[in-house]
Amino acid sequence: MSVLLTLPIAVWSFLMFAHFWEPNRAGQIAIVMTAVFMIAMFYMMMRTRTTYRWRRWFFVAMGLLFPVGFIHTVIAMRGTMGIPIEEMIAGRTPFCFLPIPLLILPAALTKTVVFPGSILPGTGMAGAGMAAMAGMWLAMTIVVGKGWCSYLCFFGGIEEGMASVAKRAKLKKIDTRWRYGPWAVLLAMVLLSLALFDSVYCMWLCPFKAVSEYVAARNTLGMVQNGIFIMLFASLVIVLPFLTKKRTQCAFFCPFGAFQSIFNKTSVFDVKIDKTRCSPCVLCKTACPTMSLTDESIAQGETLMSCMKCGACVDVCPKDAAVWHIKGTDVASNPERARLLLLYGAWGMAIMFGGTIIAGGLATILHVFIK
Amino acid sequence: MRHRQGELKNVRLPPVTGYSIFGEALALGLASGPACMASCGPVVVPSLLAEQEGMRLNTRYLSSFLGARFVGYLLFAAVAWGLGALVSFPPALRLPVAGVVHLLLGCVLLWYAYTVGRACALSCAAPELVTIGVAKKRGVPGAAVLGFLTGFSICPPFVAAGLRAAQLGSIAAALYFFAVFFVGTSVWFLPFLSLGCVRRNEGVTTVARMAMVLIAVYYLYLGLAMLIGRKVYGY
């Protein structure tokens, strides 16, 4: 049965990776390894009827291999990880999805994009351009909502990996008000981007600049910016996830995550707590990496809107009370079907988006050994 | 060229009347209002969200903010006129002034965020504007302080209005121009009133306070960078 259920994903993988087939041997090996890996993880999800553990392998691999492939490309094309001001002025800054919410108001009010990149496919590091990235984001977001942060974000894997290193959390008492952090960063960044006509988050607060593309520091300002990037990365992505076993950057800081929470309302998939089965032991609350479950929400049978659909609560629940759910249906009506439908959509997109990232990173490493 | 100048001399410009000043200033204000709204947004939105719920209280907030901003406008215009700097406000003077204004804005926002937290701890139900001061009776509405300081921010629309006002010949006409210009820009602040309908709870207040702290830190940096710009930017 598990093999049958995996078959559509295997076909999709074949089609996707055949499309990205490379002429060199290292690239070919990387593509085959990635395809096998993605199919194997999906098969294990089907076989064990659990999600979180297998999804995490994929997610951490994507998080670790994204900087490898990206930094290699940047250095090959530009000679340095630092982006100089000339590249920004020329609109050749590579675009990631994180500034999308910051661009909407300035674009709506002034028809101007406050990001030094190219809307259409450009030259050099501009890559596919903002339109392609925004289009892909919109299509995927409509289906998975905030599931983006568990299956498609190429930044979250590093902290998820760090969160799973320690067996037990060393910092257990976390003020729940920190959960509002992403909304505050989103509000401040949207307002400042509109006022200053600048992508303020990218310039000042993105922790992942530390492992992708920092500012080419030619003055004190650049040094300060890079210092902030490194400090945020070290604390929110490395140290705090290790101490708390939570995805602290995602849960307490990421403005894109807050924005993405809104789209949990448009996605048909969510996670519910079956109140007839719940004891409540609150194991789900402890397991949730983004603190999206509270005593009140469990009592109401709901997760908070920040739920990333990672499956940690569903897998840890001893009474199968935390369940995958399709909106408009009964909570107890076939949660496995809901999981399957979500996973087909999410894993299909993960192969397309994350699979190419993993293959790219692997190919970069394999190039060192195989010519 | 000389011929052209002669031609220009003979051109009869329409007389500058109260009506024409009014129309011109209002049009300029309305046209540049979105820029004013955007530049004041980081100050107004979080501080307004930090206040209590209700249209009446939010109207009071916005009245205090705009009233103080109006005073700031006129005071700045008068001082600049007195210094003869309305037209060519030199960067050497402009940067320190803007730097100090940003530093003060940052400090007030920090104080605001702190006061909101304390006010909530004492009584969240009191439908009063957040005041900044030691004792409540002697305190100044935070909205007024923020409005006054934003009135001093030298934003592009302000400079455009200053350039035109300087051509009017008398300080009274210039102040009149600024007053009408202010009315034009203020229309764009009315949508902020809708924030009064947003239901206030711990989440909204906390988000507003955290956002104020972030914006304050950025303003403090901007202020410092303007004051010691050469050292920061390296040119």
Side-chain angles (χ1 to χ4, degrees):
Chain A
M1 188 63 181
S2 303
V3 175
L4 266 180
L5 289 172
T6 310
L7 205 58
I9 286 295
V11 172
W12 177 245
S13 291
F14 175 76
L15 290 172
M16 282 310 302
F17 289 115
H19 179 72
F20 291 109
W21 193 250
E22 286 199 25
N24 62 75
R25 204 158 152 242
Q28 290 168 356
I29 295 171
I31 284 175
V32 171
M33 282 172 72
T34 310
V36 170
F37 172 71
M38 296 301 287
I39 296 166
M41 290 301 107
F42 192 84
Y43 171 76
M44 290 311 291
M45 283 189 203
M46 296 301 109
R47 190 179 160 83
T48 60
R49 293 200 166 203
T50 57
T51 312
Y52 182 72
R53 200 177 359 154
W54 313 108
R55 183 205 57 80
R56 190 174 64 191
W57 278 109
F58 150 74
F59 202 58
V60 173
M62 178 167 67
L64 291 176
L65 288 169
F66 170 73
V68 175
F70 186 83
I71 292 168
H72 172 258
T73 312
V74 169
I75 290 177
M77 295 190 79
R78 198 191 285 147
T80 170
M81 259 177 84
I83 179 162
I85 191 78
E86 298 85 12
E87 288 281 292
M88 291 193 200
I89 291 168
R92 286 199 287 263
T93 315
F95 185 72
C96 83
F97 51 86
L98 291 177
I100 286 175
L102 316 180
L103 309 183
I104 295 170
L105 268 183
L109 290 174
T110 64
K111 297 177 189 167
T112 308
V113 176
V114 288
F115 186 86
S118 165
I119 291 182
L120 297 173
T123 54
M125 284 305 297
M130 287 180 228
M133 178 64 85
M136 273 202 296
W137 160 78
L138 189 62
M140 295 173 180
T141 290
I142 288 168
V143 180
V144 293
K146 213 194 169 187
W148 173 284
C149 306
S150 283
Y151 297 88
L152 300 161
C153 172
F154 42 74
F155 291 126
I158 304 173
E159 59 186 295
E160 182 143 27
M162 286 308 298
S164 55
V165 169
K167 276 200 167 179
R168 284 186 186 162
K170 287 160 182 67
L171 259 179
K172 284 180 184 164
K173 279 193 177 176
I174 306 169
D175 192 329
T176 51
R177 281 179 297 182
W178 286 113
R179 278 194 327 241
Y180 301 122
W183 293 98
V185 179
L186 177 67
L187 178 65
M189 293 303 111
V190 165
L191 292 170
L192 284 175
S193 295
L194 186 60
L196 304 166
F197 244 64
D198 199 356
S199 185
V200 181
Y201 182 75
C202 306
M203 297 301 289
W204 288 100
L205 290 181
C206 180
F208 298 101
K209 291 272 178 195
V211 288
S212 58
E213 189 179 42
Y214 54 78
V215 177
R218 293 172 180 168
N219 48 30
T220 316
L221 181 77
M223 295 292 283
V224 171
Q225 284 171 300
N226 288 335
I228 293 172
F229 299 147
I230 292 167
M231 201 182 67
L232 286 172
F233 182 81
S235 56
L236 289 168
V237 183
I238 304 291
V239 178
L240 284 172
F242 175 75
L243 294 175
T244 59
K245 284 188 76 65
K246 304 281 177 204
R247 280 173 64 176
T248 43
Q249 196 277 146
C250 308
F252 309 141
F253 191 75
C254 181
F256 183 82
F259 181 64
Q260 205 65 15
S261 301
I262 299 165
F263 293 95
N264 258 352
K265 302 282 180 193
T266 62
S267 167
V268 293
F269 302 106
D270 59 5
V271 174
K272 291 265 185 194
I273 310 294
D274 187 346
K275 287 191 275 185
T276 56
R277 291 183 174 191
C278 184
S279 38
C281 61
V282 296
L283 275 175
C284 53
K285 185 180 145 187
T286 316
C288 180
T290 53
M291 296 171 75
S292 297
L293 281 158
T294 59
D295 293 335
E296 297 79 30
S297 74
I298 293 169
Q300 288 167 3
E302 306 272 352
T303 53
L304 299 180
M305 71 188 289
S306 53
C307 171
M308 298 192 297
K309 299 165 190 166
C310 65
C313 56
V314 180
D315 291 353
V316 81
C317 182
K319 299 201 170 177
D320 293 334
V323 288
W324 297 99
H325 175 248
I326 296 174
K327 284 176 189 166
T329 61
D330 286 338
V331 174
S333 70
N334 207 340
E336 186 56 22
R337 185 180 55 195
R339 183 179 87 105
L340 201 59
L341 287 173
L342 167 74
L343 282 181
Y344 274 135
W347 209 251
M349 290 184 279
I351 288 169
M352 192 170 75
F353 204 56
T356 51
I357 289 170
I358 292 175
L362 271 179
T364 305
I365 296 168
L366 289 173
H367 269 301
V368 178
F369 308 105
I370 304 164
K371 298 293 171 193
Chain B
M1 190 65 190
R2 219 178 270 168
H3 177 68
R4 270 188 161 184
Q5 279 176 347
E7 267 182 357
L8 279 175
K9 262 186 184 175
N10 295 331
V11 171
R12 294 185 71 187
L13 292 166
V16 179
T17 63
Y19 289 119
S20 69
I21 294 174
F22 181 86
E24 201 179 326
L26 190 67
L28 186 63
L30 286 170
S32 49
C36 295
M37 190 177 83
S39 74
C40 289
V43 171
V44 176
V45 174
S47 55
L48 196 49
L49 281 173
E51 299 282 356
Q52 294 294 297
E53 191 180 337
M55 288 301 282
R56 185 177 287 185
L57 194 73
N58 280 258
T59 310
R60 271 176 61 196
Y61 172 97
L62 217 56
S63 311
S64 305
F65 180 87
L66 289 176
R69 184 166 159 266
F70 180 61
V71 173
Y73 256 47
L74 291 187
L75 199 64
F76 185 82
V79 170
W81 182 278
L83 293 172
L86 204 54
V87 179
S88 56
F89 204 58
L93 191 60
R94 192 171 63 214
L95 276 177
V97 170
V100 170
V101 167
H102 276 90
L103 282 178
L104 287 172
L105 268 174
C107 292
V108 173
L109 278 174
L110 282 178
W111 180 256
Y112 211 107
Y114 169 73
T115 311
V116 170
R118 269 188 76 227
C120 252
L122 296 172
S123 160
C124 250
E128 289 294 327
L129 284 180
V130 172
T131 53
I132 294 176
V134 184
K136 198 168 183 181
K137 281 188 179 173
R138 280 187 291 167
V140 184
V145 181
L146 291 175
F148 185 72
L149 287 171
T150 52
F152 269 87
S153 297
I154 311 163
C155 58
F158 193 87
V159 174
L163 280 168
R164 182 68 188 98
Q167 295 169 341
L168 292 174
S170 76
I171 188 165
L175 290 179
Y176 175 56
F177 186 91
F178 258 101
V180 180
F181 169 75
F182 166 82
V183 173
T185 61
S186 297
V187 173
W188 288 92
F189 283 74
L190 293 179
F192 286 134
L193 274 179
S194 60
L195 291 174
C197 303
V198 176
R199 195 187 301 165
R200 304 301 198 271
N201 53 29
E202 192 207 19
V204 172
T205 313
T206 310
V207 166
R209 289 178 65 203
M210 286 177 170
M212 269 195 274
V213 171
L214 273 173
I215 292 165
V217 170
Y218 193 71
Y219 277 172
L220 290 175
Y221 149 73
L222 274 183
L224 277 175
M226 284 170 185
L227 288 178
I228 52 168
R230 194 179 289 270
K231 283 182 182 167
V232 173
Y233 295 110
Y235 50 79

